Amino acid sequence: MQVDELLKPFPIKEFHPFPRALMGPGSHELIGPEALKLGFKKTLVMTSGLRGTDIVNKIVESMKYHGLEVVLYDKVESNPKDYNVMDAVGLYQQNNCDSFVSIGGGSSHDACKGARISVAHDGRNVNEFEGFNKSENPSNPPHIAVSTTAGTGSETSWAYVITDTTTDPDNPHKYVAFDDQSVTTLAIDDPVLYYDCPIDYTAQCGFDVLAHASEPYVSRLDFQPSLGNALHAIKLTSQNLRKAVWNGQELSGREGMMYAQYIAAQAFNSGGLGIIHSISHAVSAFYDTHHGLNNAIALPRVWAFNMPVVYERFADIAEAMGVDTRGMTKPQAADAALAASIRLLRDVGIPEKFADVKQDTYSKNRLGTGPTKFYENAPTIVGDAADVDRITNHVLGDACTPGNPKECTFETVRPVVDHSINGDLDDLLT
Amino acid sequence: MSEAVVPTVTEAADAVASTGPFESVDQVIETLREQGYIADTRLATTVFLLTRLDKPLLLEGPAGVGKTELAKMLAVATGRRLLRLQCYEGQDETKALYEWDYGKQLMYTQILREKIGQLVEDAPDLASAVDRIGSQESVFFSERFLAPRPLLEAIRSEQPVVLLIDEVDRADEALEAVLLETLGEFQISVPEIGTFVAEQRPYVLLTSNNTRDLAAALKRRCLHLFLDYPSASRELEIVRSKKTGLSDQLAEELVNVVRGLRELELRKSPSISETIDWARTLAVLGVDELNSQILSDTVSVVVKYDKDVKKALDALPRLVDPNAVVTEHGHGHGHGHGHGHDGDHDHDEPAARTPSTPAARVDDEHDDGDVDGRAKRAAKDQAGRHGGIYGGLPGGVAPPPSAIRKVSPGQGTRSFGGSRKRPV
């Protein structure tokens, strides 16, 4: 076989540059000086509100103290919707802002990244930029992202995820846009802000980290520079997630997760993702459940699905998760990794299948209790054949699917989706 | 030394020129038109003032709208010689003003070695020898060894000239400062010799593509004109005047297409010169009717970036014929069609139009108000639509349906499903 034939699938890999990051306890207090340094004058702050935490208020006050004008858009919903983005763009343009700050988790950052791309294109609809590097105008306004969760890594990645509710309102579509131009100007990862993250979110975000780290580690890109970050993120997660969930006011667990999420995002940034994310996007699109939760439920199933083609890599993951793999064959070690992930999932108290997810834990506008605007009349997860088909179809079209190590067709993916909704985790452990 | 070098210093003509090559603005238009340059009144007025006020003219505007051409045509129209300074980054004043011709100086020194030897022959010591040579320095820093560059040449020229300082925005700010003396006083100081003042004030035109802001000091010394894309009628007149060989009817259509392209917010909009190139191209191809096919085939004459080409190709059918039924996009229904779900298709590509296999390009279509959301959405579930992206292909070309391997239902169940057995 010719060499170029062998190399054909992935001849050139792309390594993505990352923004400068300020990390560690107290780093969020530097936002004012940093914003001034970047030339901010009038800033649109995008956030989900973070009810009860006072984080937004503190940061906005600190910015004002440094003489910055601030316009606040605090209505970003989780699984940010296209209308959130376009509302923010309108606000930005009306007020002649010149810069962005996003405070929150992935939703705030992603909505902000979308708004930024849209602003750079004179307010064109954000949905036009789905896919890979669709933006054309590099003159983006500067953007500082302040993380209050540890999972997303959106403050450092070149991806953002938006839910398209307008193209076909009966059939919302959650998509990823990978765009070099969306990379933030500065990331601030302060574990102190993460102290206020509720227990359930902390657990789910932790599994987002595990998904971000494990997918590039086994992805089809097999991109060596990503693997170290991926493995270390898995290690940090298994060491710190339980602490962060159960002892929320203790620094070590929170700080460990903050670093884990950052390097995990850097791993997937260049190393690609897989169908944990594709399934997660599909379920979020139809039911507005949380991304981290979806990842957590899909993760063991997708690991089991992918293992046969990459046993060695899963054996490495087992070791990173603290399993003593001496004397095990690679497949045995891979199984041990799966068992370790399920154990972690149960330890931090995440529902085990989508059918178990209670409707009152579907995404809420964090300001209130009700569902987000668009999903007021949305169906609940039933898990019948139609549900499974619909989700499977969405998975096939997702931008993360091509990176999955095992080939994905309707026939191969459908059982994975079915199991995520209805299957029992104990099946995987036999 | 027998001959002393006298600096060429002349009194500046301070008074505003009461006469010039043009009697009136109309005459400017007329004279330029004879040279094939179609100027509107605003442009012609500015040119008229340039010739009367002896002030440099700064022309700003996008590339390819005729800034450089104006200088050339003004030279022809006024019978003046054209001197051109093409600016670039890192250019220093020696490339713009003058430099000492070191090679020539060295050569003369070699030839005159004997004479120089005699001069210092009887000097008692080294110091007095150096002094004697020093007293002759003016021989070597005289006009004889001065290599004039465009600016100095324009100032010293005995014949009247048009000086074109092209793309001044590309030059460094230092060079801009050097220009100030020349533009303000029409003079250049050479420290070793003296100051040269223009006997015949040159007509100076500066052009800028606005890649950066020019210094206020520079702008203050100049008349200023922003030259934008011309009106449709003027552009058509320009294209006609260039005798491209394209018929008037087609030229008119072409100008409208180009104007449509300019509205697409391309990275680089087509300029007038590119319109002319396109007209020539079409004439060479013997085109007698403009259709989207021939325009698509030749669009690279006017659009130079990959993404721009894609945008242009999408827009061309609409630009040629606003009422066109756009079938290429494959989004299941053209304008004026119903929603094509009833299986009663009368188009060319039925396969691409059934709801179960929507066309892969649907998601690229975003400027079309008449798109059915459901079809567009369904296309987003198509497997492999981002295909190729992990292979580094720009744009992520989806593989053809045949490239996606069929998998039997049993394989899925075997690989995952039901109860999973320990693999060892």
Side-chain angles (χ1 to χ4, degrees):
Chain A
M1 192 186 260
Q2 295 291 316
V3 175
D4 50 350
E5 273 300 304
L6 278 169
L7 291 177
K8 210 176 210 167
F10 317 117
I12 294 169
K13 283 138 175 155
E14 205 171 322
F15 196 65
H16 290 277
F18 312 116
R20 196 162 70 89
L22 293 171
M23 307 183 108
S27 52
H28 78 272
E29 288 169 3
L30 293 175
I31 187 165
E34 288 294 333
L36 287 178
K37 214 158 81 182
L38 288 167
F40 285 25
K41 290 197 176 61
K42 196 168 192 182
T43 305
L44 181 69
V45 173
M46 287 179 73
T47 170
S48 58
L50 302 164
R51 164 168 277 206
T53 62
D54 203 32
I55 293 175
V56 175
N57 188 34
K58 268 194 293 192
I59 290 180
V60 167
E61 286 309 314
S62 148
M63 290 174 70
K64 285 183 180 163
Y65 176 78
H66 284 89
L68 297 160
E69 276 189 84
V70 175
V71 179
L72 185 63
Y73 178 79
D74 63 358
K75 300 190 174 51
V76 178
E77 297 170 4
S78 72
N79 299 313
K81 318 298 186 292
D82 45 10
Y83 54 79
N84 292 145
V85 177
M86 297 322 289
D87 287 354
V89 169
L91 207 57
Y92 182 97
Q93 289 171 334
Q94 280 162 25
N95 289 288
N96 293 318
C97 296
D98 58 13
S99 48
F100 282 106
V101 164
S102 55
I103 307 168
S107 304
S108 300
H109 298 330
D110 285 3
C112 192
K113 284 159 122 178
R116 194 169 163 230
I117 294 275
S118 171
V119 161
H121 292 77
D122 301 327
R124 255 164 63 186
N125 193 326
V126 66
N127 294 337
E128 290 176 21
F129 301 100
E130 179 191 354
F132 291 83
N133 274 329
K134 285 286 167 65
S135 81
E136 291 146 12
N137 188 350
S139 61
N140 273 327
H143 173 190
I144 299 180
V146 187
S147 294
T148 63
T149 67
T152 159
S154 179
E155 77 279 5
T156 183
S157 76
W158 71 307
Y160 60 95
V161 187
I162 304 287
T163 304
D164 172 0
T165 61
T166 45
T167 305
D168 180 4
D170 300 332
N171 219 359
H173 169 57
K174 188 175 181 185
Y175 62 84
V176 203
F178 293 91
D179 210 307
D180 291 328
Q181 303 306 333
S182 76
V183 178
T184 60
T185 322
L186 173 70
I188 296 183
D189 283 334
D190 188 341
V192 170
L193 299 182
Y194 185 34
Y195 272 33
D196 293 321
C197 187
I199 284 192
D200 53 342
Y201 275 16
T202 304
Q204 294 165 9
C205 291
F207 266 79
D208 196 17
V209 177
L210 208 53
H212 284 168
S214 65
E215 296 217 278
Y217 196 71
V218 302
S219 98
R220 300 178 82 173
L221 257 88
D222 190 14
F223 188 49
Q224 297 294 332
S226 283
L227 303 186
N229 272 343
L231 218 49
H232 193 62
I234 294 172
K235 193 173 173 184
L236 281 175
T237 306
S238 5
Q239 288 170 350
N240 291 297
L241 182 57
R242 291 178 180 86
K243 263 191 276 181
V245 171
W246 299 119
N247 298 324
Q249 303 299 309
E250 185 189 307
L251 183 63
S252 67
R254 293 295 193 183
E255 193 169 13
M257 286 313 296
M258 215 71 198
Y259 294 141
Q261 66 117 17
Y262 188 79
I263 57 176
Q266 300 208 340
F268 87 72
N269 227 359
S270 304
L273 289 167
I275 60 169
I276 297 178
H277 276 82
S278 309
I279 293 175
S280 180
H281 294 154
V283 176
S284 291
F286 298 135
Y287 310 107
D288 208 19
T289 47
H290 279 292
H291 181 69
L293 171 70
N294 298 348
N295 276 348
I297 293 175
L299 182 134
R301 280 82 183 191
V302 175
W303 278 18
F305 172 69
N306 281 330
M307 266 181 196
V309 286
V310 272
Y311 277 130
E312 306 78 8
R313 289 284 163 88
F314 278 102
D316 295 344
I317 291 176
E319 249 179 89
M321 295 186 81
V323 177
D324 183 357
T325 59
R326 278 172 300 179
M328 289 187 188
T329 62
K330 298 289 180 192
Q332 282 170 332
D335 265 5
L338 180 59
S341 76
I342 293 174
R343 170 142 205 177
L344 180 60
L345 185 137
R346 288 175 170 166
D347 280 353
V348 297
I350 292 174
E352 301 194 5
K353 53 178 182 266
F354 287 118
D356 289 349
V357 179
K358 301 271 188 307
Q359 198 190 358
D360 61 5
T361 69
Y362 288 11
S363 286
K364 292 171 280 219
N365 184 343
R366 287 304 284 181
L367 289 169
T369 47
T372 50
K373 185 170 128 196
F374 180 75
Y375 286 90
E376 275 165 357
N377 303 312
T380 53
I381 301 174
V382 183
D384 56 4
D387 253 8
V388 177
D389 286 353
R390 192 173 176 221
I391 291 172
T392 306
N393 275 321
H394 193 293
V395 168
L396 294 176
D398 196 280
C400 297
T401 304
N404 197 64
K406 195 155 150 187
E407 186 165 359
C408 295
T409 64
F410 187 84
E411 288 75 13
T412 57
V413 171
R414 195 180 184 284
V416 186
V417 174
D418 192 12
H419 198 281
S420 304
I421 298 179
N422 301 309
D424 202 329
L425 274 182
D426 288 325
D427 291 349
L428 305 177
L429 291 171
T430 51
Chain B
M1 291 304 294
S2 54
E3 193 188 353
V5 178
V6 182
T8 321
V9 179
T10 320
E11 284 297 309
D14 280 324
V16 168
S18 53
T19 56
F22 304 116
E23 293 294 324
S24 64
V25 174
D26 286 343
Q27 199 196 343
V28 176
I29 296 180
E30 195 48 45
T31 317
L32 286 177
R33 184 191 301 273
E34 281 164 20
Q35 307 304 329
Y37 192 93
I38 313 298
D40 57 18
T41 321
R42 201 165 61 96
L43 177 58
T45 310
T46 318
V47 170
F48 181 69
L49 291 176
L50 160 76
T51 61
R52 288 298 173 99
L53 296 179
D54 278 340
K55 267 197 137 187
L57 167 59
L58 172 61
L59 288 164
E60 289 189 279
V65 292
K67 300 190 296 295
T68 305
E69 195 67 13
L70 176 64
K72 290 185 190 165
M73 289 309 142
L74 183 63
V76 177
T78 54
R80 289 179 170 226
R81 186 156 69 101
L82 179 72
L83 288 172
R84 179 169 181 169
L85 174 67
Q86 180 71 45
C87 297
Y88 54 87
E89 205 176 319
Q91 194 172 30
D92 61 11
E93 58 190 74
T94 62
K95 293 283 182 291
L97 295 172
Y98 63 88
E99 58 190 323
W100 291 106
D101 192 339
Y102 175 68
K104 206 168 163 189
Q105 282 170 332
L106 204 63
M107 198 178 71
Y108 272 64
T109 318
Q110 293 288 334
I111 297 169
L112 300 173
R113 190 189 290 166
E114 217 170 283
K115 191 77 191 160
I116 296 171
Q118 287 168 16
L119 193 70
V120 294
E121 210 171 30
D122 54 348
D125 52 23
L126 192 61
S128 47
V130 170
D131 280 347
R132 281 188 198 179
I133 292 186
S135 66
Q136 303 298 328
E137 219 167 43
S138 58
V139 177
F140 287 97
F141 288 98
S142 64
E143 280 190 75
R144 189 194 300 281
F145 298 109
L146 194 63
R149 299 299 170 217
L151 293 187
L152 184 58
E153 209 174 336
I155 295 296
R156 288 206 312 177
S157 171
E158 287 172 12
Q159 304 302 319
V161 299
V162 171
L163 171 64
L164 166 63
I165 301 174
D166 212 7
E167 303 191 338
V168 67
D169 51 329
R170 287 182 184 226
D172 301 333
E173 279 162 26
L175 187 73
E176 224 178 276
V178 168
L179 288 175
L180 295 180
E181 184 191 5
T182 317
L183 299 182
E185 335 283 333
F186 289 102
Q187 66 177 39
I188 289 174
S189 303
V190 181
E192 294 86 346
I193 300 179
T195 303
F196 295 99
V197 180
E199 228 167 318
Q200 301 278 350
R201 289 199 166 188
Y203 294 156
V204 185
L205 286 98
L206 300 98
T207 75
S208 160
N209 290 335
N210 273 331
T211 55
R212 68 174 176 86
D213 269 348
L214 299 172
L218 180 75
K219 289 195 167 178
R220 195 163 52 77
R221 283 168 173 76
C222 301
L223 297 169
H224 188 259
L225 184 69
F226 190 86
L227 208 55
D228 207 345
Y229 297 115
S231 64
S233 58
R234 195 177 141 232
E235 182 162 14
L236 182 59
E237 207 179 336
I238 293 170
V239 172
R240 279 182 189 156
S241 73
K242 294 293 172 189
K243 313 225 170 350
T244 56
L246 200 66
S247 73
D248 282 0
Q249 167 67 23
L250 291 191
E252 191 174 343
E253 285 176 33
L254 185 68
V255 164
N256 284 331
V257 169
V258 173
R259 295 176 69 78
L261 288 178
R262 281 185 198 137
E263 280 166 17
L264 292 182
E265 296 182 13
L266 302 178
R267 184 168 161 195
K268 166 72 184 77
S269 286
S271 63
I272 306 179
S273 57
E274 278 151 350
T275 314
I276 294 164
D277 287 346
W278 206 2
R280 289 205 173 110
T281 307
L282 295 172
V284 167
L285 294 174
V287 172
D288 46 19
E289 183 204 5
L290 285 196
N291 54 43
S292 58
Q293 184 59 43
I294 187 73
L295 292 178
S296 301
D297 291 346
T298 53
V299 75
S300 54
V301 174
V302 289
V303 183
K304 311 286 170 148
Y305 290 95
D306 190 34
K307 275 188 177 165
D308 285 359
V309 170
K310 279 186 201 134
K311 273 192 189 172
L313 288 181
D314 281 349
L316 274 174
R318 203 164 31 78
L319 293 174
V320 179
D321 176 7
N323 302 317
V325 176
V326 184
T327 51
E328 294 94 315
H329 296 303
H331 50 58
H333 55 108
H335 300 256
H337 285 227
H339 194 265
H341 278 197
D342 53 4
D344 187 19
H345 299 297
D346 54 351
H347 337 70
D348 300 325
E349 310 157 46
R353 289 161 182 286
T354 53
S356 56
T357 54
R361 284 193 54 203
V362 171
D363 59 336
D364 289 336
E365 186 60 282
H366 46 66
D367 53 353
D368 191 332
D370 186 24
V371 167
D372 182 275
R374 276 174 295 176
K376 201 168 158 181
R377 168 68 186 83
K380 298 192 175 198
D381 285 345
Q382 203 184 38
R385 72 195 175 98
H386 296 290
I389 200 69
Y390 283 94
L393 292 179
V397 183
S402 60
I404 301 168
R405 203 146 44 86
K406 283 275 169 259
V407 180
S408 68
Q411 190 178 335
T413 325
R414 276 202 304 282
S415 64
F416 187 88
S419 128
R420 189 172 158 277
K421 293 283 177 280
R422 186 175 280 280
V424 281

mmCIF file of all heavy atoms in Angstrom, chain B residues 50 114 170 217 249 287 408 419:
data_model
loop_
_atom_site.group_PDB
_atom_site.id
_atom_site.type_symbol
_atom_site.label_atom_id
_atom_site.label_comp_id
_atom_site.label_asym_id
_atom_site.label_seq_id
_atom_site.Cartn_x
_atom_site.Cartn_y
_atom_site.Cartn_z
ATOM 1 N N LEU B 50 -5.944 71.534 -8.711
ATOM 2 C CA LEU B 50 -4.557 71.078 -8.590
ATOM 3 C C LEU B 50 -3.643 71.871 -9.524
ATOM 4 O O LEU B 50 -2.564 72.308 -9.136
ATOM 5 C CB LEU B 50 -4.507 69.578 -8.916
ATOM 6 C CG LEU B 50 -3.160 68.970 -9.313
ATOM 7 C CD1 LEU B 50 -2.285 68.799 -8.090
ATOM 8 C CD2 LEU B 50 -3.354 67.632 -9.983
ATOM 9 N N GLU B 114 46.497 59.827 -8.938
ATOM 10 C CA GLU B 114 47.763 60.530 -9.133
ATOM 11 C C GLU B 114 47.650 61.995 -8.724
ATOM 12 O O GLU B 114 48.489 62.523 -8.014
ATOM 13 C CB GLU B 114 48.156 60.443 -10.599
ATOM 14 C CG GLU B 114 49.640 60.293 -10.818
ATOM 15 C CD GLU B 114 49.892 59.970 -12.273
ATOM 16 O OE1 GLU B 114 49.663 58.799 -12.671
ATOM 17 O OE2 GLU B 114 50.251 60.891 -13.014
ATOM 18 N N ARG B 170 1.493 52.668 2.177
ATOM 19 C CA ARG B 170 2.361 51.520 2.444
ATOM 20 C C ARG B 170 3.710 51.941 3.004
ATOM 21 O O ARG B 170 4.434 51.142 3.570
ATOM 22 C CB ARG B 170 2.633 50.760 1.159
ATOM 23 C CG ARG B 170 1.457 49.996 0.692
ATOM 24 C CD ARG B 170 1.879 49.260 -0.529
ATOM 25 N NE ARG B 170 0.765 48.564 -1.083
ATOM 26 C CZ ARG B 170 0.828 47.304 -1.475
ATOM 27 N NH1 ARG B 170 1.950 46.643 -1.361
ATOM 28 N NH2 ARG B 170 -0.226 46.719 -1.974
ATOM 29 N N ALA B 217 -0.472 66.083 9.246
ATOM 30 C CA ALA B 217 0.416 67.066 8.617
ATOM 31 C C ALA B 217 0.476 66.858 7.105
ATOM 32 O O ALA B 217 0.518 67.821 6.333
ATOM 33 C CB ALA B 217 1.813 66.957 9.215
ATOM 34 N N GLN B 249 -24.635 46.480 -25.100
ATOM 35 C CA GLN B 249 -25.692 45.814 -24.358
ATOM 36 C C GLN B 249 -25.104 44.904 -23.276
ATOM 37 O O GLN B 249 -25.462 44.961 -22.102
ATOM 38 C CB GLN B 249 -26.543 45.006 -25.349
ATOM 39 C CG GLN B 249 -27.500 44.008 -24.718
ATOM 40 C CD GLN B 249 -28.589 44.714 -23.934
ATOM 41 O OE1 GLN B 249 -28.897 45.881 -24.193
ATOM 42 N NE2 GLN B 249 -29.152 44.025 -22.947
ATOM 43 N N VAL B 287 -18.419 35.896 -26.375
ATOM 44 C CA VAL B 287 -19.704 35.706 -25.721
ATOM 45 C C VAL B 287 -20.750 36.637 -26.338
ATOM 46 O O VAL B 287 -20.472 37.822 -26.555
ATOM 47 C CB VAL B 287 -19.575 36.010 -24.218
ATOM 48 C CG1 VAL B 287 -20.925 36.003 -23.542
ATOM 49 C CG2 VAL B 287 -18.645 35.006 -23.572
ATOM 50 N N SER B 408 -24.718 -3.915 8.150
ATOM 51 C CA SER B 408 -25.938 -4.706 8.373
ATOM 52 C C SER B 408 -26.453 -4.445 9.784
ATOM 53 O O SER B 408 -25.674 -4.128 10.688
ATOM 54 C CB SER B 408 -25.612 -6.183 8.197
ATOM 55 O OG SER B 408 -24.767 -6.589 9.257
ATOM 56 N N SER B 419 -27.000 -7.156 26.458
ATOM 57 C CA SER B 419 -26.046 -7.294 27.543
ATOM 58 C C SER B 419 -24.658 -7.512 26.970
ATOM 59 O O SER B 419 -24.460 -8.223 25.997
ATOM 60 C CB SER B 419 -26.487 -8.458 28.435
ATOM 61 O OG SER B 419 -25.431 -9.356 28.623
#
